Amino acid sequence: MSKKTMVHKGPGYQKKREGEPRSCIRFKCTLINTIQDVLRQRAGWVEVKDDSEWDFYWCDVGWLRENFDHIYMEEHVRICHFRNHYELTRKNLMVKNLKRYRKLLEREAGRQEAAKCDFFPRTFELPCEYHLFVEEFKRSPGSTWIMKPVARSQGKGIFLFRKLKDIMDWKKDGNRSEDQKDETQVESYVAQRYIENPYLIGGRKFDLRVYVLVTSYVPLKAWLYRDGFARFSLTRFSLSCIDDHYVHLTNVAIQKTAPDYDPEKGCKWQMQQLRRYLSARHGAERVEALFRNIDGIFIRSLQSVQKVIINDKHCFELYGYDILLDQALKPWLIEVNASPSLTASSQEDYELKCRLLEDTLHVVDMEGRLTGKEKQIGGFDLMWNDGPVSKDDVNLDALGSSTLTANTHLGYVNDRKTQLRQLLKPLPGQKKV
Amino acid sequence: MMDEGTELSVTIAQIVQKLKGSNLHSQLERQAKECLQRPEIQLEDLKEDVKEFLKKSGKKHLKCWETKLQNAVYRELNVLPPPSHPEAPAEHIKEPLAYMRKAQGSWEKRILKSLNSMCTELSIPLARKRPGNEQKELLSKWNEMGTDEPDLSHFRPVYAPKDFLEVLINLRNPNYDSSDQPSSKSHWGLIQVPLKVKDIPELRESFAELGLNSGQLGIDDTTQVPADMFESEHAGIGRKVLIEQDSAAAEQYIRQGCPNELRAELWALILNATNEPEDILYYEQLKSGVLHHDLLVDNLIYKDVKLTASNDDYYFVFEDYLYQVLLCFSRDTVVLEHFNYNSATPPKSYIQGKLGLEDYAVVYPPNGVIPFHGFSMYVAPLCFLYNEPSKLYTVFREMYVRYFFRLHSISSFSSGIVSLCLQFESLLQTHLPQLFYHLREIGAQPLRIAFKWMVRAFSGYLATDQLLLLWDRVLGYNSLEILAVLAAAVFAFRAQNLMEVTSLAAAEAVLADLSTLKVMPLLQIFLFATIM
């Protein structure tokens, strides 16, 4: 935890005795938003700063990149990122891993199984896959494509195009000579087929933000949060205006700068509201099927990087998945965020993020109160535990996993308060939660 | 009074009269004429044979003629005012009590005066024909009228619910002497008219299906009990009801709530709101009416939508639909029919220069309804269920002429806003006297807080799914009384917190956020678990 050879013990530290739940947890947090509030309010957790020892660190990815390889962490210590999470969260790497996984599935399990990975639109990394991209581009004339910088977030640098010359313009130096290429590094972009028929509500496009918590990659253990939200574009959807940045990008960060953005007005629907709306329109069955497919996106994307990610028992990660629905109610994966925004855009949003983070800490269970056999912790449902997790405790029909009901409840009632009350034993010396 | 037989004949005659002008009538006539060619129709038994034929035919369509006719008759029965003396003049059918009629009349005068003065102040005509290029522009923007940002700063809503409340508070029956010493028998609330309202035993009877022993959607579908018990059974019955296409059965069914995915169709069935080609055509005609003429009330509608629905976290998405419905609604003269049983009278305006000359009087707006602050919230929840504008429109219009109009006109009808207010206050005084007394003492009359909920039928105050479950029961019981019961139940639920407040503002704060409330458990507990 510290580069010094002398270990500095912070105030209140007690070495954990075997079998006894930890009574004081030292945390470090560099982000000044909801997570800081949640950590500070947690019973028995004490904030430490600077170079003091910590048991828990909610760090940013920059710090991780620079320090992870040099620090020693005791067994109980937890940190909120995996060393090479970018295999999942950087757009070019995610696509590469997914494509590779898809090929593997096709070889081992056949076409049908591989087709279940077709939840991301045709994507090419530029400049290295430029020629492959051009081939695909020519195969679908008139189609719209979206260019996204690989490593930036919050919608920065993204634009749409329909003609090759649009990206030629941007990449004027596309055909530079060898020595010129060495001088300046071209920023990596991905070109992705734009989904031209998104599902619209009130004429507006939206995407879904869903939270998935991974506590281990080998074996894969992933939790799905019941709450989430749909982010609406402020303006009505139309393909005729490609330049209007605001229509096509539903990122809150971009919408916040739109001229008619009203911060008081919510551009978000809670997941429960969306689920009810879709059920009222399309019936429960179709919506069930949609949410099963969404589950599939999480699981397969995680499986695709399972062997690549450096597994470490100290690490856990809370991902923000961005999903887009098209008019046929097919879900598409847009991207995965390792550091989903924890800044709240409204009171309702703040409460959602508080719940989410509190429950994340419950799952991580620094206090050692849980057995490890739970299928639901607060608003998190165990979605994958080295295999599918079923809602039912008893396997009534042992004939096939297709008859099992998945243990996911995205957009359902979040009964976390009652659930947690039943689940958690009171901390020693503390009042009941 | 009249004996049952005569009452029935009068009712039948009224319904027949009403249906004679309808589409269904002409369709049936046509069908009957066509069938005369058929061999099974014999001259001797012409009437019976034609009836038999009509009963059997049409079954290949979704609804057979008999069901269609049945539904149409049922619709008329639902809106028919209570039976009255055959000699009763039209105004008595609108509203039997003279003092109520008078109060409504003066209220209307005030509204019209306000509208006219706004008109003069802003020098905007009440109506004007749109020039050709403006019509074209509006047509191209029809699906996104919300993007328009006209300057509405000079417009103010004609009135807000609290203005209306003041009028109701001042209502007095001149024949009723309420000057006795105030006692526990006297009424503590703001409404001081002696209307008959139901007490809890009577409400228990009326709302029997909400009892603790019957399953309910909104309660029995959210517990941990396996879903296949009440919920799927109820959904199965719902699907059967839809196949039969019987409005009366649907109305009975929905008293226990409606499954999410069946709601759009079931409501349309209960309201007998069709989406036939002629309905779509009619809607298109209304739309062209909007394009041709610009009305002053259009600005009021814009302003209302921008102020209320657009600022709502859930309804902002439907902004465009609201314009498409409300602008057409203002121009729909079919709505004028409901003034036969509404105590209100449509305001009249005069062609320029011909003030006072009846020949030059026109109803303004064409549908006779002047929107007030919050009006668009009647439509917003429906956008959740319907996205075809003509269907959405038909359902809304029917909801308005059956229910919503009663929430802003002064009448003695049991579902009228005056009765609802009195009912709310009576329930509170009878069952939560300590709370009522306390709130009165601190200057926080409960009705001042609950009024806005009832006027809007709780739209915008409850979470959408809860609101829809509430409106299920409004349709099922063909009455708005449940709004008063819910308002009282909310106060009962938050009674503990309310006992601790010391000002109106603090009381408002306790009751500011109803979005987490679950409607059905509240109603059940209040109605069936209150110790009498």
Side-chain angles (χ1 to χ4, degrees), chain A residues 201 236 265-266 270 273 281, chain B residues 310 314 316-317 320 383 464:
Chain A
I201 296 181
R236 287 89 184 137
K265 182 173 71 183
Q270 296 286 315
Q273 183 82 347
R281 282 299 161 85
Chain B
S310 297
Y314 289 110
F316 74 92
V317 193
D320 298 325
C383 297
T464 315

Side-chain angles (χ1 to χ4, degrees), chain B residues 275-458:
Chain B
N275 204 29
E276 307 282 309
E278 50 261 17
D279 302 302
I280 301 175
L281 188 63
Y282 187 73
Y283 177 75
E284 291 297 317
Q285 283 174 343
L286 291 175
K287 178 175 163 183
S288 58
V290 178
L291 297 174
H292 287 137
H293 286 93
D294 179 24
L295 300 178
L296 176 68
V297 289
D298 291 350
N299 294 302
L300 297 177
I301 290 168
Y302 267 111
K303 181 121 193 176
D304 186 48
V305 173
K306 291 282 182 203
L307 285 178
T308 56
S310 297
N311 277 324
D312 186 291
D313 281 342
Y314 289 110
Y315 299 130
F316 74 92
V317 193
F318 302 122
E319 192 184 342
D320 298 325
Y321 293 136
L322 298 177
Y323 299 121
Q324 291 173 27
V325 167
L326 290 167
L327 294 177
C328 290
F329 182 65
S330 294
R331 290 153 175 80
D332 192 350
T333 51
V334 164
V335 176
L336 294 175
E337 276 170 25
H338 92 285
F339 286 107
N340 291 335
Y341 49 87
N342 182 356
S343 62
T345 311
K348 282 214 183 62
S349 179
Y350 298 88
I351 307 283
Q352 241 174 351
K354 313 274 187 202
L355 190 67
L357 297 173
E358 277 311 311
D359 287 346
Y360 293 93
V362 285
V363 169
Y364 185 86
N367 73 341
V369 180
I370 297 183
F372 56 88
H373 178 66
F375 195 86
S376 55
M377 293 307 280
Y378 289 140
V379 191
L382 300 173
C383 297
F384 220 68
L385 302 173
Y386 306 99
N387 57 353
E388 274 169 58
S390 59
K391 189 81 191 269
L392 175 62
Y393 179 76
T394 321
V395 170
F396 165 66
R397 183 182 62 189
E398 191 60 25
M399 293 278 291
Y400 184 82
V401 302
R402 273 204 209 192
Y403 310 115
F404 297 145
F405 76 91
R406 299 202 188 276
L407 297 171
H408 44 268
S409 52
I410 304 175
S411 89
S412 57
F413 193 68
S414 58
S415 265
I417 187 72
V418 183
S419 302
L420 295 183
C421 290
L422 191 57
Q423 174 125 75
F424 162 72
E425 290 184 321
S426 306
L427 286 171
L428 218 60
Q429 185 172 340
T430 314
H431 299 286
L432 296 157
Q434 238 187 346
L435 176 64
F436 202 145
Y437 193 79
H438 168 72
L439 289 173
R440 236 176 63 126
E441 290 299 292
I442 62 170
Q445 276 275 5
L447 187 59
R448 289 206 184 274
I449 303 173
F451 187 69
K452 54 187 182 291
W453 303 336
M454 294 192 286
V455 168
R456 280 212 203 154
F458 282 89

Side-chain angles (χ1 to χ4, degrees), chain B residues 137-138 141 144-150 302 306 319 323:
Chain B
E137 209 196 306
L138 186 57
K141 276 210 310 258
E144 33 175 67
M145 282 186 275
T147 49
D148 235 352
E149 295 286 347
Y302 267 111
K306 291 282 182 203
E319 192 184 342
Y323 299 121

Side-chain angles (χ1 to χ4, degrees), chain A residues 280, chain B residues 217 242 254 257-269 384-386 464-473:
Chain B
L217 284 186
L242 277 173
I254 209 175
C258 183
N260 220 359
E261 50 282 11
L262 303 179
R263 188 172 276 129
E265 282 182 64
L266 264 162
W267 281 24
L269 177 57
F384 220 68
L385 302 173
Y386 306 99
T464 315
D465 66 316
Q466 295 301 309
L467 183 78
L468 294 173
L469 287 167
L470 178 68
W471 286 12
D472 279 346
R473 274 73 181 189

